Amino acid sequence: MQYSAKAVAGRGEAKSFKRRLWLEGWKRLRKQRTAMIGLAVVLFFILIGLLAPLLTSHPFDGFNPEKTLIPPNADHWFGTDDQGRDIFSRILYGARISLWIGFFSVIGSIIVGCLLGLVAGFYGKWADSIISRFFDVMLAFPSILLAIAIVAILGPSLFNALIAIAIINIPTYGRLIRSRVLSVKEEEYIMSAKAIGMSNSRILFLHILPNSITPIIVQGTLGIATAILEAAALGFLGLGAQPGEPEWGKMLADSRQFLTVAPWTLLFPGFAIMVTVIGFNMFGDGLRDALDPKMK
């Protein structure tokens, strides 16, 4: 019973220590003005995406041949496109699509990449060799070309674009978690866990993964920005969002022929992409500095 009490106390102290580290990281993050601006931008786009039905007075798919290419005015704040659809409404609903693709593609990449990286780093030998070569093959292709190939096989659609973006980013998280596992598994507390007979799965998910997750969180935040850009690129090429869907990349593709006569049809979707990506990058950079122990 004495040993069990010490073990429980040790786990309690470890949890308390991790909690203090996260609190200290949050305090450091709050002191960084650029990170807070980035977080504000991210929350702003999440909010307008969620509240789009309440913030718009025109349907995003409402065709009106009598109101084509109207410049911004009091009724249509961002003007209308070549089919008379309100651009402001399409921008707000497009935030839902871009953030949905960004968040869920990164979550998928992290889950698969972390599982493969944990196995490669912990078990080593043939498992590490096979998984690492798989990562090397995927990284040998330009990411956007690999995404295009995957969507071409699966068929053009938003969901297939999400799958393609998730697949091409798996090696990024897999290699990152593998490098962390190779370092963490040599720590004394991991050796102690093995010595008392703890199973490999418990060691991986209770000790190694929690102590390797910080760089994954940072990379995931930055990866959302990359995923949004990749989704916009696929939409621009006609491989992501299909006609009628208010995706920012698709809006750019549909409006490029009106650059000289109706520049607002390209300006606002492009600006939305730019600001969203900058927001995630600013927040990700600040998060990296805040969670880096060397910055303490």
Side-chain angles (χ1 to χ4, degrees):
M1 294 298 293
Q2 185 179 2
Y3 175 78
S4 298
K6 289 182 178 180
V8 172
R11 287 195 293 268
E13 291 177 0
K15 291 181 180 179
S16 177
F17 177 71
K18 292 177 182 178
R19 191 179 299 111
R20 289 198 303 269
L21 285 180
W22 284 103
L23 289 175
E24 291 175 5
W26 170 245
K27 290 178 181 178
R28 290 195 298 271
L29 182 65
R30 289 175 59 185
K31 295 178 181 178
Q32 300 185 39
R33 182 174 300 178
T34 56
M36 288 293 97
I37 294 175
L39 178 59
V41 171
V42 170
L43 293 177
F44 171 76
F45 277 96
I46 292 175
L47 189 63
I48 65 172
L50 293 174
L51 300 179
L54 302 177
L55 299 176
T56 57
S57 56
H58 300 280
F60 69 88
D61 55 352
F63 295 94
N64 192 340
E66 298 179 357
K67 293 186 176 182
T68 58
L69 301 179
I70 295 177
N73 55 56
D75 188 30
H76 300 280
W77 292 358
F78 291 176
T80 62
D81 61 11
D82 60 310
Q83 298 185 28
R85 297 172 297 192
D86 184 68
I87 295 178
F88 177 74
S89 298
R90 294 179 65 78
I91 292 292
L92 266 59
Y93 279 94
R96 289 182 170 187
I97 295 176
S98 294
L99 293 174
W100 173 71
I101 292 177
F103 279 110
F104 284 97
S105 64
V106 167
I107 290 173
S109 298
I110 289 177
I111 292 174
V112 178
C114 282
L115 289 175
L116 293 175
L118 284 171
V119 172
F122 187 76
Y123 291 101
K125 298 182 180 179
W126 63 269
D128 186 19
S129 179
I130 293 175
I131 294 174
S132 295
R133 296 297 77 77
F134 169 70
F135 290 160
D136 291 340
V137 169
M138 292 190 66
L139 292 172
F141 296 93
S143 59
I144 189 63
L145 292 182
L146 186 58
I148 291 173
I150 295 172
V151 174
I153 295 172
L154 298 177
S157 73
L158 274 174
F159 184 72
N160 290 340
L162 185 153
I163 294 175
I165 294 169
I167 291 174
I168 65 175
N169 289 307
I170 287 175
T172 301
Y173 302 99
R175 288 167 66 96
L176 182 59
I177 198 71
R178 174 185 174 274
S179 65
R180 289 289 300 167
V181 171
L182 290 174
S183 175
V184 172
K185 76 176 185 178
E186 302 299 330
E187 296 290 340
E188 292 183 0
Y189 64 90
I190 300 298
M191 300 298 182
S192 300
K194 291 180 179 179
I196 64 175
M198 184 176 290
S199 65
N200 289 338
S201 59
R202 287 177 61 85
I203 292 174
L204 279 171
F205 293 103
L206 294 182
H207 294 291
I208 293 180
L209 182 58
N211 287 284
S212 307
I213 201 66
T214 299
I216 295 296
I217 294 174
V218 175
Q219 183 59 43
T221 304
L222 297 170
I224 293 175
T226 303
I228 290 174
L229 281 176
E230 290 167 342
L234 291 174
F236 187 85
L237 296 173
L239 298 174
Q242 296 306 293
E245 295 177 319
E247 196 272 327
W248 294 338
K250 181 62 176 174
M251 292 174 66
L252 287 175
D254 294 340
S255 304
R256 63 184 184 274
Q257 58 183 317
F258 305 110
L259 176 61
T260 56
V261 297
W264 60 87
T265 57
L266 286 90
L267 175 63
F268 293 111
F271 185 75
I273 295 172
M274 181 187 70
V275 174
T276 306
V277 170
I278 290 176
F280 275 105
N281 283 334
M282 291 172 64
F283 179 59
D285 288 339
L287 195 62
R288 177 191 57 203
D289 295 339
L291 297 180
D292 188 352
K294 298 179 181 179
M295 301 297 293
K296 291 179 64 177

